[in-house]
Amino acid sequence: GDSVTQTEGLVTLTEGLPVMLNCTYQSTYSPFLFWYVQHLNEAPKLLLKSFTDNKRPEHQGFHATLHKSSSSFHLQKSSAQLSDSALYYCALGNSGGSNAKLTFGKGTKLSVKS
Amino acid sequence: GGIITQTPKFLIGQEGQKLTLKCQQNFNHDTMYWYRQDSGKGLRLIYYSITENDLQKGDLSEGYDASREKKSSFSLTVTSAQKNEMAVFLCASSIVRGLGTEVFFGKGTRLTVV
């Protein structure tokens, strides 16, 4: 079955340092990967999504590359900002079966300190 | 743009009580979802519906019922609230864009059972 693994539950960083949040997946069909961000007391919102293998989507300074060879879609940013503190979810959709469903990881809380 | 409205925002129930959560969307999306959000467990799918009067079970459907009365609304019933249960229930709707499904979320209903 489909699954998403986010290995870090909490990542704490100092402002200005690079960010990397890990995401790996298992998918029955050809995968589409997403990152969602949820700030405190807000709804989760789409941050970015994969397109084709080795193309790099970017949004708000964040980027991620889908690597089918390693089943990964890690989220990166070169310099963390205080406003990046939030809960980040990696999610998996696929092109076959019920493509209406997304499978979410357990989430990584990013805490950026000054 | 559109919006997903969940009511109530906060719900306090008693053990054994039947509780209903409501969701409305004005995106005109076909598919709607109910997710449960628990700290450290991510977003787990309870029910989803791909069209009016359709219902599909997710991974966490036991203990819940759902109803898709019309395209714009999707309600969730906790059939028997469990004592000390605390969770956030997120409603969502989605649209298929090109290579994948994009999901939009409401802000959630926070449930506390006393």
Side-chain angles (χ1 to χ4, degrees), chain B residues 1-105:
Chain B
I3 191 168
I4 294 176
T5 303
Q6 292 188 236
T7 54
K9 290 184 180 178
F10 299 94
L11 181 57
I12 299 175
Q14 296 194 329
E15 184 182 11
Q17 193 175 2
K18 187 175 178 179
L19 303 167
T20 298
L21 292 67
K22 293 190 179 295
C23 176
Q24 295 270 346
Q25 55 101 356
N26 63 0
F27 287 102
N28 199 34
H29 290 164
D30 287 320
T31 305
M32 295 186 73
Y33 311 79
W34 278 105
Y35 283 91
R36 177 176 165 135
Q37 182 177 34
D38 295 277
S39 178
K41 295 184 180 178
L43 302 180
R44 293 181 288 173
L45 184 63
I46 304 173
Y47 272 98
Y48 68 105
S49 166
I50 60 175
T51 188
E52 186 178 336
N53 294 320
D54 174 73
L55 271 184
Q56 310 277 344
K57 290 184 178 181
D59 300 320
L60 204 66
S61 60
E62 189 171 337
Y64 303 95
D65 285 327
S67 176
R68 183 83 181 273
E69 305 90 357
K70 51 186 178 180
K71 187 174 183 179
S72 63
S73 66
F74 193 30
S75 60
L76 179 73
T77 298
V78 180
T79 55
S80 179
Q82 301 298 304
K83 188 171 177 62
N84 297 323
E85 180 175 7
M86 286 181 63
V88 176
F89 292 86
L90 294 172
C91 178
S93 67
S94 71
I95 186 170
V96 177
R97 288 195 200 278
L99 299 179
T101 296
E102 188 169 331
V103 178
F104 297 82
F105 286 90

Side-chain angles (χ1 to χ4, degrees), chain A residues 17-61:
Chain A
L17 289 182
V19 179
M20 180 159 160
L21 305 184
N22 291 319
C23 174
T24 57
Y25 65 90
Q26 287 187 309
S27 180
T28 309
Y29 299 96
S30 183
F32 302 111
L33 274 294
F34 305 83
W35 278 99
Y36 280 81
V37 58
Q38 185 180 26
H39 288 93
L40 192 62
N41 297 323
E42 293 293 320
K45 294 179 184 175
L46 180 65
L47 181 59
L48 47 78
K49 56 187 177 182
S50 67
F51 289 95
T52 56
D53 202 3
N54 297 328
K55 291 267 173 78
R56 194 176 95 163
E58 295 192 30
H59 186 60
Q60 297 178 352

